[in-house]
């Protein structure tokens, strides 16, 4: 596999960054995942970290080097992440459980499949046009759905009101899509609502279509922060561009050809010892992201 990838997370106007994201891959399969810890509940950032670590760990175990069934993997991984968050709350006897959204995509055999719970989104853009987008699990998104009757209450149509997430007492509701056959140059963006909530869809798709991901994604994040101003939410994104690193000369290219059957690479911190999650402050997260992107640049430079 060959792809270009870029990831970035900014705190915005919030006291802390509760978003988490990352990607990992074997020789023949790739996983991209993003979680947005929910405010109003304790330790949202912990829930998000548990979610992406759980999904990544399961991917590492099952992708040897391919997943037998990407759709089944995504559903199993999401539910295991949910259970891991509940177990975290139970072990610590928390009165309320940490909660998070989750969106994850698997790219394998030239096809993409994805899953989401909550309002973190996935956009698939081809030739500057929107090919697919996830639909938020919010009352606002469902308000105009055909045949669905909802109370006409302004509060219930606020975009922040979700009816499902990971970590809630109820089993999470999720949607899956794919597999979609990818074409050269397709871009897949996973982002938190801090990005799409500040920017309209036309702007997001136009930016993704006109630049490579290492140019479009940081520009989109800066646009979202600037438009939202001091009230900005955390803004987080991870994006993948399919099979174009050589064509575009991207310094953020990844080639999996050198990996063996059991080879695995990841930007997601795994196997965290007890207490480490509590030490992941915003500066540490941003340093880690910068180090990851610099490592990708160095690796690409060595291959040129």
């Amino acid at each position: 596999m060959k792809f270009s990838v870029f990831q970035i997370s900014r705190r915005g106007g919030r006291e802390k960054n509760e978003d988490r994201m990352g990607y990992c891959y074997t020789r023949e399969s790739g996983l991209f995942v993003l979680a947005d810890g929910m405010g109003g509940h304790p330790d949202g950032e912990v829930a998000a970290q548990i979610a992406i670590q759980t999904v990544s760990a399961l991917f590492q175990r099952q992708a040897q080097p391919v997943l037998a069934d990407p759709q089944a993997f995504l559903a199993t991984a999401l539910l295991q992440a949910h259970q891991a968050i509940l177990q975290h709350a139970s072990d610590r006897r928390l009165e309320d459980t940490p909660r998070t959204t989750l969106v994850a995509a698997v790219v394998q055999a030239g096809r993409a499949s994805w899953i989401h719970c909550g309002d973190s989104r996935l956009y698939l853009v081809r030739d500057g046009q929107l090919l697919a987008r996830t639909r938020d699990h919010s009352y606002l998104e469902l308000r105009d759905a055909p045949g669905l009757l909802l109370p006409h209450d302004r509060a219930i149509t606020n975009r922040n009101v979700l009816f499902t997430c990971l970590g809630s007492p109820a089993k999470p509701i999720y949607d899956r899509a794919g597999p979609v056959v990818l074409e050269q140059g397709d871009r897949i963006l996973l982002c938190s609502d801090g990005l799409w909530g500040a920017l309209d869809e036309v702007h997001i798709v136009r930016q993704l279509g006109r630049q490579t991901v290492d140019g479009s994604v940081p520009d989109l994040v800066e646009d979202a922060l600037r438009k939202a101003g001091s009230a900005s939410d955390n803004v987080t994104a991870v994006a993948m561009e399919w099979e174009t690193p050589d064509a575009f000369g991207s310094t953020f290219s990844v080639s999996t050809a050198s990996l063996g059957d059991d080879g695995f690479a990841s930007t997601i911190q795994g196997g965290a010892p007890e207490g480490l999650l509590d030490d992941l402050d915003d500066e540490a997260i941003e340093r880690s992201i910068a180090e990851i992107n610099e490592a990708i640049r160095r690796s690409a430079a060595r291959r040129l």
Side-chain angles (χ1 to χ4, degrees), residues 58-201:
L58 188 63
F59 177 81
Q60 183 175 5
R61 289 198 297 270
Q62 292 193 4
Q64 298 283 334
V66 297
L67 297 167
D69 185 339
Q71 288 272 351
F73 161 80
L74 288 167
T76 299
L78 182 145
L79 294 174
Q80 285 197 11
H82 171 66
Q83 290 299 323
I85 294 168
L86 295 182
Q87 188 62 54
H88 167 85
S90 176
D91 291 345
R92 288 155 182 77
R93 298 181 181 179
L94 301 180
E95 293 183 1
D96 191 13
T97 57
R99 305 183 189 190
T100 185
T101 67
L102 182 72
V103 59
V106 167
V107 174
Q108 180 174 291
R111 295 172 170 82
S113 300
W114 58 88
I115 193 169
H116 81 289
C117 176
D119 63 355
S120 292
R121 289 184 178 177
L122 178 145
Y123 294 82
L124 173 56
V125 174
R126 175 176 295 166
D127 296 327
Q129 301 296 317
L130 181 64
L131 192 65
R133 171 177 76 79
T134 55
R135 295 295 169 184
D136 311 329
H137 293 122
S138 67
Y139 290 103
L140 175 60
E141 191 86 332
L142 290 179
R143 182 180 57 185
D144 299 322
L148 184 64
L149 297 178
L150 290 173
H152 293 286
D153 185 332
R154 289 185 180 179
I156 209 170
T157 59
N158 185 297
R159 72 176 176 88
N160 294 316
V161 179
L162 304 180
F163 57 82
T164 189
C165 62
L166 273 63
S168 65
K171 182 179 178 180
I173 297 170
Y174 58 84
D175 288 315
R176 290 178 290 178
V180 174
V181 177
L182 296 176
E183 297 182 4
Q184 188 178 61
D186 284 355
R187 288 95 188 263
I188 295 176
L189 170 71
L190 282 64
C191 64
S192 62
D193 66 335
L195 189 144
W196 67 256
L199 305 175
D200 64 63
E201 190 166 283

Side-chain angles (χ1 to χ4, degrees), residues 18-61:
E18 295 185 303
D19 294 352
R20 299 291 185 268
M21 85 301 192
Y23 62 93
C24 48
Y25 55 89
T26 66
R27 190 183 65 210
E28 298 181 29
S29 188
L31 170 72
F32 306 83
V33 59
L34 183 146
D36 179 356
M38 296 176 63
H41 301 276
D43 298 336
E45 72 280 10
V46 175
Q49 187 73 25
I50 291 172
I52 68 167
Q53 286 186 185
T54 301
V55 175
S56 173
L58 188 63
F59 177 81
Q60 183 175 5
R61 289 198 297 270

